[in-house]
């Protein structure tokens, strides 16, 4: 992401000057604002403003909850040769999703046993 040193007013003035130029202008300062690459920047700026305006996060709530759950039951055993067949993190595709996440602070997850007894999986 490019960090702009311009104030909002300066950006607005620069953009308003575009009304006086054609998209085929040769003036480099304004030619860049008409370029196709500028659309990607505008999309990113719009999304960031929309998230900020509506107090939203750029990452979905489902993703956040899934990552929290995987991190809670992820142990070093999930990436060793002694994987548990009952542990969701030991099996694909959750194993690859949990790779960048931190390990839980316990050495052995008891949550898998609790979930198995509750009938969530065998």
């Amino acid at each position: 992401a490019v960090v702009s040193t311009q104030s909002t007013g300066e950006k607005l003035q620069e953009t308003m000057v575009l009304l006086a130029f054609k998209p085929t202008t040769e003036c480099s300062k304004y030619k860049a604002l008409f370029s196709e690459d500028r659309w990607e920047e505008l999309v990113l700026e719009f999304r960031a403003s929309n998230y900020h305006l509506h107090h939203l996060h750029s990452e979905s709530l489902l993703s956040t909850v899934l990552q929290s759950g995987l991190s809670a039951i992820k142990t070093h055993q999930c990436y060793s040769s002694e994987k548990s067949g009952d542990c969701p993190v030991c099996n694909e595709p959750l194993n690859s999703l949990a790779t960048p996440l931190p390990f839980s602070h316990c050495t052995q997850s008891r949550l898998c046993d609790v979930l198995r007894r509750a009938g969530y999986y065998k």
Side-chain angles (χ1 to χ4, degrees):
V2 177
V3 177
S4 177
T5 57
Q6 291 180 314
S7 70
T8 304
E10 290 171 331
K11 283 183 183 180
L12 182 61
Q13 285 178 346
E14 187 177 75
T15 306
M16 292 300 290
V17 171
L18 290 177
L19 295 171
F21 287 94
K22 293 182 180 180
T24 57
T25 185
E26 293 301 318
C27 182
S28 62
K29 182 176 182 179
Y30 299 106
K31 188 175 185 175
L33 292 174
F34 280 118
S35 73
E36 290 295 321
D37 296 335
R38 179 73 176 131
W39 284 106
E40 185 63 31
E41 291 176 38
L42 290 173
V43 167
L44 295 175
E45 282 185 37
F46 175 79
R47 284 184 184 156
S49 296
N50 188 41
Y51 292 151
H52 180 73
L53 177 67
H54 297 289
H55 303 285
L56 301 171
H57 296 282
S58 59
E59 197 166 325
S60 74
L61 185 58
L62 175 64
S63 176
T64 303
V65 170
L66 181 62
Q67 288 178 7
S68 298
L70 289 175
S71 184
I73 61 175
K74 178 182 172 183
T75 64
H76 291 282
Q77 183 180 352
C78 296
Y79 296 93
S80 70
S81 59
E82 303 171 14
K83 293 182 180 182
S84 169
D86 294 333
C87 175
V89 181
C90 290
N91 300 301
E92 288 297 332
L94 296 180
N95 186 274
S96 58
L97 288 173
T99 301
L101 301 174
F103 289 99
S104 65
H105 292 289
C106 64
T107 57
Q108 182 179 3
S109 175
R110 289 161 191 73
L111 186 58
C112 293
D113 294 332
V114 171
L115 291 174
R116 189 181 325 102
R117 279 188 250 132
Y120 284 100
Y121 62 88
K122 296 178 182 184

